[in-house]
Amino acid sequence: RKIVFVTGNKGKFGEAKEILAVKGIEVIQNRDGYPELQEDELEPIAAYGAKWAAEKLGMPVMVDDSGLFIKALKGFPGPYSAFVEEKLGNGRVLKLMEDEKDRTATFKSVIGYCEPGSEPKVFTGTVEGKISYEERGTGGFGYDPIFDYNGKTFGELGNEEKNKVSHRRRAIDNFFEWLD
Ligand code: ITT
Ligand code: NA
């Protein structure tokens, strides 16, 4: 089975490719993008994007809309995670969190999947962690160096370890269960 993964994010693609290879699914990256709705929730963004891209490409398509939801910041950056990562970066997020005692945060990944002529499906995965006090580790991508999971940041975990417990892994497991 082959699935086109529409994403411009190399880190996301690499992880999905590794996770799905174990399940015997080949993923092909397409970097053409899709219109991202302005919504408070990731689910409708992923559903709309998958449907749009499936019809455009005429092939089964998956997308992954993800984000970091920080409790003390009322869920920010959430659906704005890509914008905040690009414009502000991890250092500025840590600055916002400077005086916050509650470091609780949730990483969330929503996989949108659609076959041409069908309705899109969405599959969610989350992982709970804490925002670290400084950036640690050089692995992964994006917010990984500031997301502490049981004492180690995702940047300090190897790819293999991150892929066992990550939001993306959990979303892909749900997706695979449905595909099967
Ligand atoms: P697409 O082309 O797939 O949309 P993107 O990077 O724009 O790629 P999103 O719109 O879903 O992705 O934004 C999610 C943001 O959260 C983005 O800055 C990612 O780098 C970051 N992110 C997502 N998953 C992550 C993970 O597993 N570890 C660290 N950061 C992550
Ligand atoms: Na994006």
Side-chain angles (χ1 to χ4, degrees), residues 30 32-33 50-59 116:
N30 176 294
D32 293 345
K51 175 74 178 164
W52 186 91
E55 297 309 336
K56 178 160 175 263
L57 299 172
M59 286 194 277

Coordinates of all heavy atoms in Angstrom, one line a residue, residues 30 32-33 50-59 116:
N30 N 4.9 14.7 -0.6 CA 4.5 15.7 -1.6 C 4.6 17.0 -0.8 O 4.0 17.2 0.2 CB 3.1 15.4 -2.1 CG 2.6 16.5 -3.0 OD1 2.4 17.7 -2.6 ND2 2.4 16.2 -4.3
D32 N 3.7 20.1 -2.0 CA 2.9 21.1 -2.7 C 2.0 21.9 -1.7 O 1.5 23.0 -2.1 CB 2.0 20.6 -3.8 CG 2.9 20.1 -5.0 OD1 4.1 20.4 -5.0 OD2 2.4 19.3 -5.8
G33 N 1.8 21.4 -0.5 CA 1.0 22.1 0.5 C -0.5 22.0 0.2 O -1.0 21.4 -0.7
A50 N -6.8 17.2 3.8 CA -6.7 15.9 3.2 C -7.6 15.8 2.1 O -7.3 15.2 1.0 CB -7.0 14.8 4.3
K51 N -8.9 16.3 2.3 CA -9.9 16.2 1.2 C -9.4 17.0 0.0 O -9.5 16.5 -1.2 CB -11.2 16.8 1.7 CG -12.3 16.9 0.7 CD -12.9 15.5 0.4 CE -14.1 15.6 -0.6 NZ -14.4 14.3 -1.2
W52 N -9.0 18.2 0.2 CA -8.5 19.1 -0.8 C -7.4 18.4 -1.6 O -7.4 18.4 -2.9 CB -8.1 20.4 -0.2 CG -7.7 21.5 -1.2 CD1 -8.5 22.4 -1.8 CD2 -6.4 21.7 -1.8 NE1 -7.9 23.2 -2.7 CE2 -6.6 22.8 -2.7 CE3 -5.2 21.1 -1.7 CZ2 -5.5 23.3 -3.5 CZ3 -4.1 21.5 -2.4 CH2 -4.3 22.6 -3.3
A53 N -6.4 17.9 -1.0 CA -5.2 17.3 -1.6 C -5.6 16.0 -2.3 O -5.0 15.7 -3.4 CB -4.1 17.1 -0.6
A54 N -6.5 15.2 -1.8 CA -6.9 13.9 -2.4 C -7.5 14.2 -3.7 O -7.3 13.5 -4.7 CB -7.8 13.1 -1.5
E55 N -8.4 15.2 -3.7 CA -9.1 15.5 -5.0 C -8.1 16.1 -6.0 O -8.2 15.8 -7.2 CB -10.3 16.5 -4.7 CG -11.4 16.0 -3.8 CD -11.9 14.6 -4.2 OE1 -11.8 14.2 -5.4 OE2 -12.4 13.9 -3.3
K56 N -7.2 16.9 -5.5 CA -6.3 17.6 -6.4 C -5.3 16.5 -7.1 O -5.0 16.6 -8.2 CB -5.5 18.6 -5.7 CG -4.4 19.3 -6.5 CD -4.0 20.6 -6.0 CE -2.9 21.2 -6.8 NZ -1.6 21.0 -6.2
L57 N -4.8 15.6 -6.2 CA -3.8 14.7 -6.7 C -4.4 13.4 -7.3 O -3.8 12.6 -8.0 CB -2.9 14.3 -5.6 CG -2.1 15.4 -5.0 CD1 -1.3 15.0 -3.7 CD2 -1.1 16.0 -6.0
G58 N -5.7 13.1 -7.0 CA -6.4 11.9 -7.4 C -5.8 10.7 -6.8 O -5.8 9.6 -7.4
M59 N -5.3 10.8 -5.6 CA -4.7 9.7 -4.9 C -5.0 9.7 -3.4 O -5.4 10.8 -2.9 CB -3.1 9.7 -5.0 CG -2.6 9.4 -6.4 SD -0.8 9.1 -6.3 CE -0.3 10.8 -6.5
P116 N -9.8 9.9 -2.9 CA -10.6 10.7 -3.9 C -12.0 10.3 -3.9 O -12.3 9.1 -4.0 CB -9.9 10.5 -5.2 CG -8.5 10.1 -4.9 CD -8.6 9.4 -3.6

